[in-house]
Amino acid sequence: MSETGLMMRSLASELGRRRSRMVRLLGEFVRAESPSHVKPALDHLARRVAAEWRTRGASVRLLEQKTRGNHVRAEIPGRRGGQILVLGHMDTVYPLGTLEKMPFRISGGRAWGPGTFDMKAGLVLALFAIDVLGWVGRRPQKRLVFFWNSDEEIDSDSSRALIEREAKGSDAVLVLEPPLGAEGRLKTGRKGVGTAEIIVTGRAAHAGLDPQTGINAVHELALETTRLVKLNDPRRGITVQVTMVSGGTASNVVPESARALVDLRIAKLADRARLERKLESLRPILKGAQLEVRGGINRPPLERSPGVVELFGRAQALMRDLGVSIQECFAGGGSDGNFTAALGIPTLDGLGAVGDGAHSPREHVVVSSLPERAALIAGLLLTV
Ligand SMILES: [Zn+2]
């Protein structure tokens, strides 16, 4: 067996013996509920996560935020030059009190609870990846920077610039977001995502007495919608979905205003400008109607670049050493990996624990996957 093969075996077996410790820490993190909008709860979890990193000898900084939860940055020095950035988030989509209906529990070989899969298990895997390097007496060549933000589920407004700055100084980015499917497929591509808002202004009138003096904003919005539908191009991975509409005040009033939210997704960065131009060039169809288009692509796509493919190949080889075959996939949703990939930094996503049911009452991770996935992360930290 190759040297890396032996190393992967020893990482996995050391971790396998501490599986119940991994589950216990996951339980502690899950019980610290952390909805994206509740700063005190997020700050509490951030302090808890920071404390774990301090016990592992990392230099840790809490990046204080005014309204959002604080972010955590932990750094482990390397023996030589270079840097690997590991990304993940501490926030979840679940409101406070969800634990009462959805307690953290182990059953059927799975750990259930809000945020287990997306992605508190990822926080645990990173900590144990560092632990196992210590247990087997290995030190990373490169400096390791772990960045855990508190607002990933709500667009990463307060963390995006910080993440991009860390990424610019890194050779590679590993994202511990959930993988896909029972085999834990890694994500080598993600769509770029954004939202557009279409605001139509018409003129109110009595729908029965003098409709001709009105300008029907809902009709205008419907006509614009048929244009928006034509922007879909499944072959190129472009989707444009009108997802929310509102308008009008009463059934006998020609509506003065109407509004739509439009979900935008692209697979290729090159399509961003084209799509945004098409949106901006929408013009009113009904005489006298006014049209305003806001927004656009917020997260650029994570494209499957040669650097991404190389990282995936490395992960695949490390897992092969453990006798596990691991595949890649393309995700329709975005993550913070989209930001780092768009800067040209090779980014491998979906390195979290195997599981299912993100953002739902069925959310869980497969307990037996925890040691293996932590070994994969540790292996990448040593060899990238
Ligand atoms: Zn996530």
Side-chain angles (χ1 to χ4, degrees):
M1 183 175 280
S2 72
E3 203 197 316
T4 0
L6 291 169
M7 173 192 81
M8 284 307 288
R9 293 278 160 119
S10 83
L11 295 176
S13 85
E14 290 292 326
L15 286 158
R17 289 196 279 129
R18 274 88 162 193
R19 203 170 79 177
S20 54
R21 270 165 63 179
M22 300 178 83
V23 174
R24 209 173 320 135
L25 186 60
L26 175 59
E28 285 180 35
F29 286 170
V30 172
R31 286 187 194 104
E33 290 185 294
S34 53
S36 311
H37 289 287
V38 186
K39 180 168 172 62
L42 289 161
D43 290 353
H44 169 76
L45 176 60
R47 279 194 301 274
R48 183 75 193 75
V49 169
E52 288 293 333
W53 283 95
R54 282 198 194 96
T55 67
R56 284 152 177 93
S59 9
V60 183
R61 276 197 294 145
L62 274 170
L63 304 163
E64 308 258 344
Q65 303 298 311
K66 270 211 177 69
T67 50
R68 298 289 183 230
N70 297 333
H71 313 306
V72 176
R73 181 190 189 277
E75 182 180 320
I76 306 259
R79 286 187 292 140
R80 303 216 177 107
Q83 175 172 302
I84 301 174
L85 175 62
V86 181
L87 277 187
H89 61 91
M90 299 177 287
D91 60 325
T92 74
V93 297
Y94 301 94
L96 288 183
T98 302
L99 273 176
E100 286 161 32
K101 292 166 282 172
M102 206 179 146
F104 179 77
R105 67 192 171 94
I106 310 297
S107 114
R110 276 138 221 264
W112 306 78
T116 43
F117 182 47
D118 187 9
M119 51 146 280
K120 288 182 175 174
L123 302 176
V124 173
L125 295 182
L127 286 161
F128 277 81
I130 293 305
D131 280 338
V132 74
L133 295 186
W135 299 333
V136 302
R138 295 221 179 216
R139 282 188 53 204
Q141 307 270 4
K142 294 186 175 171
R143 177 172 54 240
L144 310 177
V145 173
F146 297 83
F147 191 96
W148 313 118
N149 64 350
S150 67
D151 58 354
E152 195 274 343
E153 298 287 5
I154 51 169
D155 286 345
S156 309
D157 280 346
S158 75
S159 53
R160 178 178 181 166
L162 297 165
I163 289 168
E164 288 176 335
R165 200 169 65 211
E166 296 290 354
K168 280 180 193 156
S170 302
D171 306 310
V173 180
L174 307 177
V175 187
L176 307 195
E177 287 276 8
L180 187 82
E183 326 80 49
R185 274 176 281 165
L186 304 180
K187 295 175 176 172
T188 52
R190 279 183 181 273
K191 278 197 175 177
V193 188
T195 309
E197 186 180 9
I198 313 282
I199 301 160
V200 180
T201 309
R203 189 193 307 130
H206 194 293
L209 296 182
D210 57 349
Q212 67 285 351
T213 65
I215 301 165
N216 191 319
V218 169
H219 287 183
E220 172 67 25
L221 183 59
L223 294 168
E224 295 298 339
T225 298
T226 63
R227 287 188 174 174
L228 289 166
V229 170
K230 291 196 186 108
L231 300 181
N232 280 285
D233 189 345
R235 210 175 33 87
R236 287 191 68 82
I238 300 172
T239 63
V240 176
Q241 297 289 314
V242 178
T243 46
M244 290 182 74
V245 289
S246 62
T249 51
S251 75
N252 58 355
V253 177
V254 173
E256 185 175 24
S257 62
R259 176 176 171 268
L261 291 181
V262 188
D263 181 273
L264 310 169
R265 286 169 203 259
I266 52 172
K268 297 182 178 69
L269 193 56
D271 288 328
R272 176 187 195 156
R274 210 164 56 97
L275 178 61
E276 289 183 343
R277 219 172 27 244
K278 282 187 177 169
L279 287 168
E280 281 157 24
S281 67
L282 288 175
R283 293 287 172 264
I285 297 166
L286 297 179
K287 199 161 166 271
Q290 286 169 12
L291 191 64
E292 192 189 339
V293 181
R294 294 183 190 162
I297 297 291
N298 169 45
R299 277 178 213 256
L302 191 169
E303 293 195 62
R304 190 178 179 279
S305 67
V308 173
V309 172
E310 196 191 317
L311 273 182
F312 172 70
R314 196 176 294 266
Q316 203 171 30
L318 293 172
M319 289 303 269
R320 206 177 300 127
D321 287 331
L322 295 180
V324 180
S325 108
I326 195 166
Q327 304 303 318
E328 63 185 308
C329 69
F330 179 81
S335 83
D336 289 329
N338 290 50
F339 298 137
T340 61
L343 295 171
I345 316 298
T347 299
L348 185 60
D349 203 335
L351 284 161
V354 176
D356 202 1
H359 302 193
S360 87
R362 299 171 307 283
E363 181 160 352
H364 66 267
V365 291
V366 177
V367 171
S368 63
S369 81
L370 296 173
E372 182 177 292
R373 301 294 279 204
L376 170 59
I377 295 162
L380 288 168
L381 295 178
L382 287 175
T383 60
V384 165

